Structures are given as structure tokens and as C-alpha cells.
Amino acid sequence: MAVVLRYLDKVELVKEKFVGVVHVTDTSSKTLKYSIDSLFDQHGLSMEKVRGQGYDGASNMKAFYVHCFAHQLQLVLVSVARNHTGVGNFFDMLSLVVNVVCASC
């Protein structure tokens, strides 16, 4: 599970910060809550200051879906790759290279 915090800075600009990746054994709400609480404790954060929550892909929590910056970037890349063959070919080739590297000893 990847955890990203979205907050307003001192001049009220929206910021997103990657907090960390936590291994979870399942995606039940109890397991996810425990993992988030543990991560907050590690970073000295308090759930009492949280004003809203959004979950991406956590349909079992029945939460409001919020697109984060990473998903917006992914949507842009997919759109560009579909409309420009050179970009599409680059990502196809990149995918093949990654597969070969990951499969090699």
C-alpha cells in the first residue's frame, strides 16, 4: 500500500508528499487501518489532524475516489502514447527492456 499525504502549505498551495510503501497481508479495512496507524506513528503524525481521506482502489472501504497526481500523469502519458506513434513505440520498447531485465539472472 502506498501512502501519499495531500495538504495545504503556508501559502495555501496544494502539496502531495509520498510518505511510504507498507506491505499489507490483505486489503480489509482493519488491516489497512492498522498499517496507516503504524505509519503515522513512525512519522510522528496524528490521525486527529486529518480532515479527509481518499482511497484509490480500496473498494472494500466504500470511500470516495480521488485522482492523485500520479494517476493524472498516467492518464496524460496514455493519451499521448495513443495519439503519437513515436511515443507509443518508445513505451512498448521500454516495456520489453524492463521485462528482459527483470527475467534475467
Side-chain angles (χ1 to χ4, degrees):
M1 170 179 64
V3 178
V4 177
L5 295 180
R6 180 180 286 172
Y7 62 94
L8 294 175
D9 66 5
K10 292 180 181 182
V11 292
E12 297 187 358
L13 291 174
V14 176
K15 300 286 186 175
E16 284 187 352
K17 294 292 182 183
F18 174 76
V19 177
V21 175
V22 179
H23 175 74
V24 292
T25 55
D26 60 65
T27 57
S28 68
S29 58
K30 183 178 180 179
T31 301
L32 295 178
K33 181 190 179 320
Y34 175 76
S35 299
I36 292 169
D37 286 343
S38 296
L39 189 64
F40 270 46
D41 286 344
Q42 290 174 6
H43 291 281
L45 301 170
S46 170
M47 285 297 286
E48 294 168 356
K49 293 184 178 182
V50 173
R51 296 296 176 251
Q53 300 175 45
Y55 302 92
D56 179 14
S59 59
N60 59 329
M61 298 184 82
K62 308 261 188 296
F64 182 75
Y65 182 82
V66 177
H67 273 290
C68 69
F69 181 74
H71 287 111
Q72 292 173 4
L73 179 60
Q74 179 186 10
L75 293 173
V76 168
L77 288 174
V78 168
S79 178
V80 169
R82 284 187 181 153
N83 293 316
H84 298 282
T85 56
V87 175
N89 290 340
F90 169 77
F91 283 109
D92 287 341
M93 187 61 68
L94 184 63
S95 175
L96 293 172
V97 169
V98 169
N99 287 337
V100 168
V101 170
C102 290
S104 68
C105 296

